[in-house]
Amino acid sequence: MVKPVGLLIDVTPLRRYPAFRRLVGGQCMTLLGSQVTQVVVPWQVYSLTHSSVSVGTVGLAALVPMVVCGLYGGAVADAMDRRRLILLVASGSALVSVVLVVQALAGLDNLWLLYGCVAVQAGLFAVDLPARRALVPRLVGPDDLPAANSLLFLVFSVGFIGGPLIGGAMVVLGGYGAAYLVDIVAFAVAITLLRGLPSLPLPDGARRADLGSVIEGLRFIRKRPLLWMCYVLDIVATVLAMPAALFPALAVERFHGSTATAAYLSAAMAAGNLLGTVFSGWLGAVRRLGLASITVIVAWGVALAAFGLAHELWLALLLLAAAGAADTFSAVLRSSVVQRETPDAFLGRTSGVWTIVGAGGPRLGDGRAGFVAGALGPGAAVVAGGVTCVLAVLALAAAVPSYLRYRVAPQEDEPAKKP
């Protein structure tokens, strides 16, 4: 039965699958807690050092374990009960929050302890994310995957917006200890919700999580163009076109503003991400997932190239919001392709690679943008990035026609899966 097309986000998976509701609730609380930490720790580091270099090191402390643990964490997610894994990770993250509360209340002022907490929590997050993504196809029907992914991306958007707001308010009201205490509460609620998930047996073909398992997963992806195209398209879009590093320069040179103007530019893209999830109902009716994902990535590149030419702030904000919405649509569509085309025994490892690509692509894009801007100027660098992205995506579509032709057939409605 073909599902009706709607504009607003499709909440059918929340109504139909009780276990998926628990997963979404747990994800929301986990993200709120982790985002509070990611925002408050840099503030505490700056209050201790008054050094931007020290604050920048916080990001580096998170990046390395996220890449390493994302790859290995995917193998772990394919080797053990994923419900048990995410419960263990949530418990570990809660313990990190306990350490942060204690150090704040005790006034330890230890910079390396803060870096260590960030690194451990980032590593745990990188293990948690592949396990959660691998759970989704076990909890919802194939036709509901786009809607389920949209809901999870909505949770991400809410977490990335709500976490900083809650963290900032708690620092003002009660100091760093009170802010970190929010993490403990959030993780406690998440653990309570996640305990109600069904215990899932190991998938057929599961093997021990080791280097051989990781290599096996990478070989699996390499031999399947439908899968590696999803990752390559993400890398092309973020590395070639991501403009975030140029927002400060454009805010001053193009729009004659200040730090606040740069914040508006960043917020516009985040708002576009959020609006993209809210108005993602139509994605569930898309059958040609490959063509659709190519189209929205081209739209991403075109919007950013136009942003590079815009001289009115309102137009620039509108174009960035459009780019953010296209980015969300692309992520939902490509996630659905990966989940449909990956056997359960490999879902953790393919999701782990997704975590690495998602963490590393934008940071490489920031480096690319800064280098090109040094030669061409910030505006020209944004235009060049958008145009190059479009050309590269079209070339990839021509080189891998099987991805462009990829189509899914509608399936009959399934009975709701039990919690």
Side-chain angles (χ1 to χ4, degrees):
M1 173 175 159
V2 178
K3 296 171 64 177
V5 179
L7 181 61
L8 293 178
I9 189 169
D10 183 1
V11 297
T12 299
L14 293 177
R15 295 198 305 264
R16 185 175 290 177
Y17 309 107
F20 181 72
R21 287 200 298 270
R22 288 185 171 274
L23 182 68
V24 170
Q27 180 85 323
C28 184
M29 299 309 298
T30 299
L31 275 170
L32 282 175
S34 62
Q35 284 303 303
V36 168
T37 298
Q38 290 189 32
V39 169
V40 175
V41 168
W43 294 348
Q44 188 178 2
V45 168
Y46 187 78
S47 71
L48 294 176
T49 66
H50 299 287
S51 167
S52 295
V53 174
S54 297
V55 175
T57 305
V58 174
L60 183 61
L63 178 60
V64 174
M66 183 167 286
V67 171
V68 174
C69 295
L71 196 58
Y72 186 71
V76 175
D78 285 336
M80 66 179 293
D81 184 336
R82 290 161 186 160
R83 170 187 176 274
R84 183 180 173 219
L85 178 58
I86 62 177
L87 282 170
L88 289 173
V89 170
S91 300
S93 297
L95 289 176
V96 173
S97 298
V98 170
V99 173
L100 287 169
V101 169
V102 171
Q103 64 84 30
L105 296 179
L108 297 181
D109 295 342
N110 189 308
L111 192 61
W112 291 104
L113 178 60
L114 291 172
Y115 288 153
C117 288
V118 168
V120 172
Q121 191 171 76
L124 290 170
F125 182 77
V127 173
D128 176 77
L129 200 54
R132 290 176 189 263
R133 283 175 170 162
L135 268 178
V136 175
R138 299 285 298 272
L139 300 180
V140 307
D143 251 18
D144 287 316
L145 283 175
N149 286 318
S150 293
L151 289 165
L152 290 175
F153 278 108
L154 177 62
V155 168
F156 266 91
S157 297
V158 171
F160 279 107
I161 294 172
L165 293 176
I166 294 172
M170 293 306 297
V171 169
V172 171
L173 294 174
Y176 296 115
Y180 296 133
L181 188 60
V182 172
D183 296 3
I184 299 176
V185 174
F187 284 120
V189 175
I191 291 169
T192 301
L193 291 170
L194 296 172
R195 281 176 60 87
L197 288 174
S199 181
L200 300 173
L202 290 177
D204 294 336
R207 56 169 291 175
R208 178 183 175 186
D210 54 19
L211 181 59
S213 175
V214 172
I215 294 173
E216 181 186 42
L218 295 175
R219 285 175 177 166
F220 173 82
I221 294 170
R222 179 176 60 83
K223 293 178 181 179
R224 289 160 176 79
L226 286 176
L227 296 183
W228 61 252
M229 269 288 285
C230 292
Y231 304 119
V232 172
L233 287 171
D234 194 314
I235 292 170
V236 165
T238 53
V239 173
L240 295 183
M242 180 61 74
L246 304 179
F247 288 166
L250 288 169
V252 174
E253 299 176 16
R254 173 73 61 83
F255 302 112
H256 310 293
S258 62
T259 303
T261 307
Y264 296 154
L265 297 176
S266 297
M269 187 171 285
N273 291 141
L274 179 59
L275 289 173
T277 57
V278 171
F279 294 100
S280 62
W282 61 277
L283 295 176
V286 174
R287 296 300 162 199
R288 298 195 62 178
L289 297 182
L291 175 61
S293 64
I294 292 289
T295 301
V296 293
I297 297 174
V298 168
W300 152 271
V302 170
L304 291 178
F307 161 69
L309 297 172
H311 286 267
E312 297 292 336
L313 182 59
W314 67 267
L315 179 58
L317 297 176
L318 186 62
L319 289 167
L320 286 173
D327 180 45
T328 295
F329 296 150
S330 168
V332 170
L333 291 166
R334 287 180 291 107
S335 294
S336 300
V337 173
V338 171
Q339 290 167 339
R340 279 179 172 271
E341 295 303 314
T342 303
D344 189 53
F346 285 91
L347 269 171
R349 281 165 284 184
T350 56
S351 297
V353 173
W354 196 283
T355 300
I356 295 170
V357 169
R363 288 168 174 81
L364 291 174
D366 287 342
R368 185 274 322 163
F371 179 79
V372 177
L376 303 179
V382 175
V383 175
V387 171
T388 305
C389 170
V390 171
L391 295 177
V393 168
L394 294 177
L396 283 168
V400 189
S402 60
Y403 185 84
L404 198 62
R405 294 194 302 265
Y406 179 71
R407 180 193 295 270
V408 298
Q411 300 194 1
E412 295 297 324
D413 285 343
E414 297 181 2
K417 299 187 179 184
K418 299 299 181 182

